[in-house]
């Protein structure tokens, strides 16, 4: 399966480029729309919550834009995760006719989706670094070098989860209705717009069951506090991402032919 995807690597790359260009055809500002939405989301939350939560940020209470920086780092991780999961959820259903009429490795479809989301996230990261520089928020080089690894881990976790859910959604369409609700709950159950300390003590331990908690915390460590992330905390998320990818590939191999009949 992976060998087939490698053989079609130029098709995958050209499809990512075509999808990227097609999303903004006849648009005046093109790809800027992809980064405009999360940045507007950051501005809204920062406007409402910054006065309440800025004082909760250690070592940054004296900085006027501390909460906006904290929020932006969390949104960068969350937007990549939710973009990949949401699009993988319907990737086989949306391309049902293509799967029936054209012979090619079906695994290319989620790879194109993941690649397109990665390009979008890279543009958002570039915009964030420019905004941080404009705000006078410097980031040490050494922690910043960990960012590609964190993005790869986020992508792996999202792709594994999205593939499993996308395959299940072909056979059980209720999955497509449940996942957006779960993502909404997941957004508020992950310390993105708040710091973990604001949660009641009886709820705070539940964060240890959220695989995105250490990932978002690692993005905060690098982009907000300029320090190395806690690799021990990320080990569990890495194991989960690897397990999900393995399960997804196994399910894809077993159910690939049957999916085409169901679509």
């Amino acid at each position: 399966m992976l060998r087939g995807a490698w053989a079609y690597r130029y098709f995958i790359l050209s499809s990512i480029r075509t999808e990227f260009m097609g999303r903004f055809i006849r648009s005046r500002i093109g790809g800027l729309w992809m980064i405009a939405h999360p940045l507007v989301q950051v501005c809204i939350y920062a406007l409402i919550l910054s006065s309440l939560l800025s004082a909760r940020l250690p070592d940054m209470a004296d900085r006027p834009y501390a909460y906006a920086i904290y929020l932006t780092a969390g949104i960068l991780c969350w937007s990549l995760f939710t973009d990949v999961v949401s699009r993988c959820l319907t990737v086989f259903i949306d391309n049902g006719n293509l799967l029936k009429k054209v012979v090619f490795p079906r695994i290319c479809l989620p790879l194109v989706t993941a690649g397109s989301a990665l390009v979008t996230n890279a543009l958002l990261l570039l915009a964030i670094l420019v905004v941080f520089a404009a705000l006078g928020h410097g980031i040490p080089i050494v922690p910043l070098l960990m960012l590609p690894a964190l993005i790869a881990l986020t992508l792996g976790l999202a792709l594994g989860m999205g593939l499993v859910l996308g395959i299940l959604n072909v056979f059980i369409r209720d999955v497509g209705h449940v996942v957006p609700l779960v993502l909404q709950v997941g957004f508020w159950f992950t310390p993105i717009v708040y710091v973990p300390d604001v949660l009641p003590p009886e709820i705070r331990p539940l964060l240890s069951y959220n695989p995105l908690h250490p990932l978002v915390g690692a993005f905060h460590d690098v982009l907000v506090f300029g320090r190395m992330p806690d690799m021990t905390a990320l080990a569990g998320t890495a194991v989960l991402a690897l397990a999900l990818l393995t399960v997804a590939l196994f399910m894809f191999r077993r159910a690939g032919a049957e999916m085409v009949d169901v679509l």
Side-chain angles (χ1 to χ4, degrees), residues 15-175:
S15 297
I16 292 173
R17 181 178 180 276
T18 301
E19 181 177 328
F20 182 80
M21 301 297 291
R23 289 171 65 183
F24 303 103
I25 191 169
R26 298 180 183 175
S27 171
R28 297 293 183 185
I29 62 173
L32 290 179
W33 285 117
M34 292 186 298
I35 60 176
H37 290 289
L39 291 181
V40 168
Q41 189 179 13
V42 167
C43 291
I44 293 173
Y45 284 124
L47 185 65
I48 297 173
L49 298 174
S50 60
S51 60
L52 297 175
L53 295 174
S54 291
R56 297 273 188 169
L57 291 171
D59 304 327
M60 297 188 70
D62 57 333
R63 298 189 185 183
Y65 302 107
Y67 177 67
I69 292 170
Y70 178 88
L71 185 59
T72 303
I75 290 289
L76 178 66
C77 175
W78 177 259
S79 62
L80 176 60
F81 175 80
T82 192
D83 192 17
V84 173
V85 171
S86 300
R87 293 168 66 181
C88 283
L89 182 65
T90 60
V91 67
F92 301 118
I93 296 175
D94 294 341
N95 294 280
N97 289 331
L98 182 65
L99 290 171
K100 292 177 181 177
K101 297 176 180 176
V102 181
V103 179
F104 68 103
R106 301 182 185 96
I107 196 66
C108 292
L109 291 177
L111 293 180
V112 170
T113 298
S116 177
L118 190 60
V119 171
T120 303
N121 197 256
L123 289 175
L124 178 60
L125 172 61
L126 185 62
I128 286 173
L129 293 179
V130 171
V131 171
F132 281 5
L135 296 177
H137 178 67
I139 304 172
I141 294 297
V142 175
L144 197 59
L145 294 177
M146 290 298 299
L147 209 49
L150 297 179
I151 291 174
L153 181 55
T154 307
L155 186 66
L157 179 67
L159 186 59
M161 192 174 295
L163 262 176
V164 171
L165 294 171
I167 295 169
L168 291 175
N169 193 33
V170 172
F171 301 99
I172 309 171
R173 298 300 169 93
D174 301 86
V175 175

Side-chain angles (χ1 to χ4, degrees), residues 8 20 36 39 64-65 87 107 117 119 121-122 156 162 182 202 206 209 221 224 226 259:
Y8 277 74
F20 182 80
L39 291 181
Y65 302 107
R87 293 168 66 181
I107 196 66
V119 171
N121 197 256
V182 174
E202 60 271 19
L206 296 178
Y209 298 101
D221 284 338
V224 181
M259 279 198 306

Side-chain angles (χ1 to χ4, degrees), residues 165-203:
L165 294 171
I167 295 169
L168 291 175
N169 193 33
V170 172
F171 301 99
I172 309 171
R173 298 300 169 93
D174 301 86
V175 175
H177 298 282
V178 172
V179 172
L181 298 177
V182 174
L183 287 177
Q184 286 187 35
V185 176
F187 177 78
W188 290 104
F189 190 57
T190 306
I192 297 172
V193 301
Y194 58 86
V195 294
D197 292 344
V198 304
L199 292 176
E202 60 271 19
I203 295 178

Side-chain angles (χ1 to χ4, degrees), residues 139-151 153-154 212-235 237:
I139 304 172
I141 294 297
V142 175
L144 197 59
L145 294 177
M146 290 298 299
L147 209 49
L150 297 179
I151 291 174
L153 181 55
T154 307
L212 281 175
H213 177 214
L215 257 181
V216 170
F219 274 78
H220 287 150
D221 284 338
V222 172
L223 292 174
V224 181
F225 305 112
R227 63 194 181 202
M228 294 294 288
D230 184 356
M231 303 305 291
T232 305
L234 290 171
T237 303

